[in-house]
Protein backbone atom coordinates (compact mmCIF):
# COMPACT_ATOMS: atom_id res chain seq x y z
CA UNK A 1 0.00 0.00 0.00
CA UNK A 2 1.25 3.47 -0.95
CA UNK A 3 0.55 6.43 1.38
CA UNK A 4 0.74 10.09 0.39
CA UNK A 5 -0.10 13.18 2.44
CA UNK A 6 -0.90 16.44 0.66
CA UNK A 7 -2.31 19.81 1.58
CA UNK A 8 -4.78 20.60 -1.17
CA UNK A 9 -5.41 24.21 -0.17
CA UNK A 10 -4.08 25.66 3.04
CA UNK A 11 -7.52 27.14 3.81
CA UNK A 12 -9.55 24.14 2.67
CA UNK A 13 -8.43 20.72 3.74
CA UNK A 14 -5.59 18.39 4.49
CA UNK A 15 -5.83 15.03 2.77
CA UNK A 16 -4.17 11.70 3.42
CA UNK A 17 -4.24 9.27 0.49
CA UNK A 18 -3.95 5.51 0.81
CA UNK A 19 -3.79 3.69 -2.48
CA UNK A 20 -3.52 0.14 -3.77
CA UNK A 21 -3.41 -0.97 -7.39
CA UNK A 22 -7.24 -1.09 -7.55
CA UNK A 23 -8.53 1.38 -4.96
CA UNK A 24 -7.88 4.71 -3.38
CA UNK A 25 -8.93 5.79 0.14
CA UNK A 26 -8.68 9.41 1.19
CA UNK A 27 -9.25 11.07 4.54
CA UNK A 28 -9.74 14.84 4.31
CA UNK A 29 -9.73 17.22 7.27
CA UNK A 30 -11.02 20.77 6.90
CA UNK A 31 -8.49 23.24 8.26
CA UNK A 32 -11.22 25.76 9.11
CA UNK A 33 -13.61 23.61 11.15
CA UNK A 34 -11.59 20.45 11.77
CA UNK A 35 -14.33 18.16 10.42
CA UNK A 36 -13.35 15.08 8.45
CA UNK A 37 -14.60 13.19 5.43
CA UNK A 38 -13.75 9.74 4.07
CA UNK A 39 -13.49 9.15 0.31
CA UNK A 40 -13.34 5.79 -1.50
CA UNK A 41 -12.31 5.84 -5.15
CA UNK A 42 -13.32 9.48 -5.48
CA UNK A 43 -16.73 9.15 -3.78
CA UNK A 44 -17.47 10.60 -0.36
CA UNK A 45 -18.65 7.72 1.84
CA UNK A 46 -18.66 9.53 5.18
CA UNK A 47 -18.68 13.19 6.09
CA UNK A 48 -19.08 15.29 9.19
CA UNK A 49 -18.91 18.39 7.02
CA UNK A 50 -22.18 20.28 6.82
CA UNK A 51 -23.44 23.29 4.91
CA UNK A 52 -24.23 26.59 6.61
CA UNK A 53 -26.42 26.51 9.70
CA UNK A 54 -30.15 27.02 9.19
CA UNK A 55 -31.70 30.40 9.85
CA UNK A 56 -32.37 30.91 13.56
CA UNK A 57 -36.07 31.48 12.85
CA UNK A 58 -36.51 28.33 10.77
CA UNK A 59 -39.32 26.26 12.36
CA UNK A 60 -38.09 23.09 14.08
CA UNK A 61 -40.01 20.76 11.73
CA UNK A 62 -38.21 22.40 8.78
CA UNK A 63 -34.86 22.75 10.55
CA UNK A 64 -34.56 19.02 11.21
CA UNK A 65 -34.90 18.31 7.46
CA UNK A 66 -32.49 21.12 6.55
CA UNK A 67 -29.89 19.78 9.00
CA UNK A 68 -30.26 16.24 7.67
CA UNK A 69 -29.87 17.49 4.09
CA UNK A 70 -26.85 19.52 5.16
CA UNK A 71 -25.23 16.48 6.73
CA UNK A 72 -25.59 14.29 3.61
CA UNK A 73 -25.30 16.64 0.65
CA UNK A 74 -21.63 15.69 0.15
CA UNK A 75 -22.54 12.00 0.05
CA UNK A 76 -25.89 12.16 -1.76
CA UNK A 77 -26.87 15.50 -3.29
CA UNK A 78 -30.01 13.90 -4.77
CA UNK A 79 -31.21 12.78 -1.33
CA UNK A 80 -30.41 16.22 0.09
CA UNK A 81 -32.49 17.87 -2.67
CA UNK A 82 -35.43 15.56 -1.93
CA UNK A 83 -35.23 16.42 1.79
CA UNK A 84 -35.13 20.13 0.99
CA UNK A 85 -38.24 19.81 -1.16
CA UNK A 86 -39.96 18.21 1.83
CA UNK A 87 -38.63 21.06 3.99
CA UNK A 88 -40.39 23.59 1.71
CA UNK A 89 -43.61 21.60 2.06
CA UNK A 90 -43.25 21.67 5.85
CA UNK A 91 -42.49 25.40 5.76
CA UNK A 92 -45.74 25.99 3.87
CA UNK A 93 -47.53 23.91 6.55
CA UNK A 94 -45.93 26.08 9.24
CA UNK A 95 -47.30 29.14 7.41
CA UNK A 96 -50.83 27.71 7.68
CA UNK A 97 -51.19 25.96 4.33
CA UNK A 98 -52.20 22.36 3.61
CA UNK A 99 -52.56 20.23 0.49
CA UNK A 100 -50.27 19.78 -2.49
CA UNK A 101 -47.09 21.82 -2.40
CA UNK A 102 -47.91 23.66 -5.63
CA UNK A 103 -51.34 24.64 -4.27
CA UNK A 104 -49.85 25.77 -0.97
CA UNK A 105 -47.38 28.06 -2.76
CA UNK A 106 -50.24 29.40 -4.92
CA UNK A 107 -52.30 30.14 -1.80
CA UNK A 108 -49.38 32.01 -0.25
CA UNK A 109 -49.09 34.07 -3.44
CA UNK A 110 -52.81 34.94 -3.17
CA UNK A 111 -52.15 36.08 0.40
CA UNK A 112 -49.50 38.51 -0.83
CA UNK A 113 -46.31 36.44 -0.92
CA UNK A 114 -43.68 38.52 -2.77
CA UNK A 115 -43.04 37.13 -6.25
CA UNK A 116 -39.31 36.81 -5.58
CA UNK A 117 -40.02 34.49 -2.62
CA UNK A 118 -42.53 32.55 -4.73
CA UNK A 119 -39.77 32.01 -7.31
CA UNK A 120 -37.44 30.71 -4.61
CA UNK A 121 -40.12 28.34 -3.26
CA UNK A 122 -40.91 27.06 -6.74
CA UNK A 123 -37.22 26.58 -7.55
CA UNK A 124 -36.75 24.38 -4.48
CA UNK A 125 -40.02 22.55 -5.23
CA UNK A 126 -39.15 21.84 -8.87
CA UNK A 127 -35.52 20.83 -8.27
CA UNK A 128 -36.55 18.72 -5.27
CA UNK A 129 -39.24 17.04 -7.37
CA UNK A 130 -36.53 16.06 -9.87
CA UNK A 131 -34.70 14.31 -7.04
CA UNK A 132 -37.88 12.50 -5.96
CA UNK A 133 -39.23 11.75 -9.47
CA UNK A 134 -36.20 11.21 -11.77
CA UNK A 135 -36.59 11.82 -15.47
CA UNK A 136 -39.26 14.53 -15.29
CA UNK A 137 -36.98 17.53 -15.67
CA UNK A 138 -33.98 17.78 -17.98
CA UNK A 139 -31.24 18.71 -15.53
CA UNK A 140 -29.11 16.77 -13.11
CA UNK A 141 -29.26 17.06 -9.31
CA UNK A 142 -26.27 14.83 -8.71
CA UNK A 143 -23.96 17.68 -7.80
CA UNK A 144 -23.27 19.40 -4.50
CA UNK A 145 -23.80 22.90 -5.85
CA UNK A 146 -27.48 22.19 -6.54
CA UNK A 147 -28.06 21.06 -2.95
CA UNK A 148 -26.09 24.05 -1.64
CA UNK A 149 -28.23 26.38 -3.74
CA UNK A 150 -31.43 24.85 -2.34
CA UNK A 151 -30.18 25.21 1.24
CA UNK A 152 -29.29 28.84 0.55
CA UNK A 153 -32.77 29.42 -0.90
CA UNK A 154 -34.45 27.79 2.12
CA UNK A 155 -32.56 30.18 4.42
CA UNK A 156 -33.54 33.15 2.22
CA UNK A 157 -37.20 32.04 2.23
CA UNK A 158 -37.16 31.71 6.03
CA UNK A 159 -35.61 35.16 6.39
CA UNK A 160 -38.22 36.76 4.10
CA UNK A 161 -41.29 34.94 5.43
CA UNK A 162 -40.48 34.66 9.14
CA UNK A 163 -37.48 36.73 10.30
CA UNK A 164 -38.21 40.02 8.51
CA UNK A 165 -41.93 40.16 9.49
CA UNK A 166 -41.00 39.30 13.10
CA UNK A 167 -38.41 42.10 13.20
CA UNK A 168 -40.81 44.62 11.64
CA UNK A 169 -43.56 43.67 14.13
CA UNK A 170 -41.08 44.14 16.98
CA UNK A 171 -40.16 47.60 15.77
CA UNK A 172 -43.80 48.57 15.25
CA UNK A 173 -44.76 47.21 18.68
CA UNK A 174 -42.13 49.44 20.27
CA UNK A 175 -43.87 52.59 18.98
CA UNK A 176 -45.88 54.58 21.53
CA UNK A 177 -49.53 53.50 21.70
CA UNK A 178 -50.72 56.98 20.68
CA UNK A 179 -48.77 56.70 17.40
CA UNK A 180 -50.14 53.19 16.72
CA UNK A 181 -53.70 54.47 17.42
CA UNK A 182 -53.28 57.34 14.93
CA UNK A 183 -51.94 54.92 12.29
CA UNK A 184 -54.90 52.59 12.86
CA UNK A 185 -57.31 55.55 12.59
CA UNK A 186 -55.63 56.67 9.36
CA UNK A 187 -55.98 53.21 7.82
CA UNK A 188 -59.66 52.67 8.67
CA UNK A 189 -62.07 53.04 5.75
CA UNK A 190 -64.17 56.20 5.91
Amino acid sequence: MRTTNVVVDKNESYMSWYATAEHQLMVATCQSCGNSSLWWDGFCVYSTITYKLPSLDMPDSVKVLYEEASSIYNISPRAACALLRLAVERLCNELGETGKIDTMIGNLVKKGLPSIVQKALDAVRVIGNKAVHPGQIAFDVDDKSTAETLMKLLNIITERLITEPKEIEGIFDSLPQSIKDSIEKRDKPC
Side-chain angles (χ1 to χ4, degrees):
M1 184 183 311
R2 177 174 44 96
T3 302
T4 308
N5 293 327
V6 288
V7 174
V8 172
D9 177 317
K10 62 183 174 188
N11 296 321
E12 278 295 318
S13 60
Y14 174 81
M15 295 189 226
S16 296
W17 295 78
Y18 307 94
T20 65
E22 298 97 27
H23 299 286
Q24 190 176 61
L25 175 69
M26 182 187 74
V27 178
T29 304
C30 177
Q31 296 299 299
S32 297
C33 67
N35 288 331
S36 298
S37 58
L38 183 64
W39 298 74
W40 180 258
D41 290 339
F43 293 97
C44 183
V45 293
Y46 173 78
S47 176
T48 57
I49 299 168
T50 60
Y51 189 66
K52 295 176 184 173
L53 293 174
S55 171
L56 293 175
D57 291 318
M58 191 176 287
D60 289 340
S61 67
V62 179
K63 191 179 294 187
V64 77
L65 293 168
Y66 177 99
E67 289 171 343
E68 184 177 351
S70 174
S71 72
I72 65 165
Y73 85 101
N74 274 309
I75 299 166
S76 178
R78 183 179 306 241
C81 290
L83 285 167
L84 293 164
R85 183 231 179 255
L86 180 57
V88 165
E89 191 171 344
R90 290 249 179 100
L91 182 59
C92 290
N93 293 151
E94 293 285 344
L95 296 169
E97 297 300 326
T98 58
K100 295 170 106 178
I101 190 170
D102 194 40
T103 303
M104 290 190 287
I105 294 171
N107 289 339
L108 289 170
V109 168
K110 289 175 189 170
K111 292 178 180 177
L113 180 73
S115 65
I116 196 72
V117 179
Q118 173 260 316
K119 288 178 183 177
L121 284 166
D122 279 325
V124 178
R125 176 186 63 83
V126 169
I127 295 168
N129 279 349
K130 165 64 172 133
V132 177
H133 309 292
Q136 291 186 356
I137 301 168
F139 60 84
D140 194 6
V141 295
D142 282 335
D143 64 283
K144 288 184 349 178
S145 65
T146 301
E148 289 171 351
T149 298
L150 296 184
M151 286 183 276
K152 181 178 181 178
L153 283 172
L154 198 56
N155 272 328
I156 290 169
I157 292 163
T158 301
E159 291 290 321
R160 291 294 301 268
L161 295 180
I162 297 172
T163 304
E164 289 177 5
K166 184 172 91 173
E167 289 174 354
I168 292 168
E169 283 294 323
I171 293 167
F172 187 81
D173 287 346
S174 71
L175 294 173
Q177 189 59 46
S178 61
I179 300 292
K180 290 190 278 189
D181 291 343
S182 80
I183 292 170
E184 185 179 330
K185 185 178 179 180
R186 176 201 70 198
D187 293 341
K188 281 187 177 180
C190 297

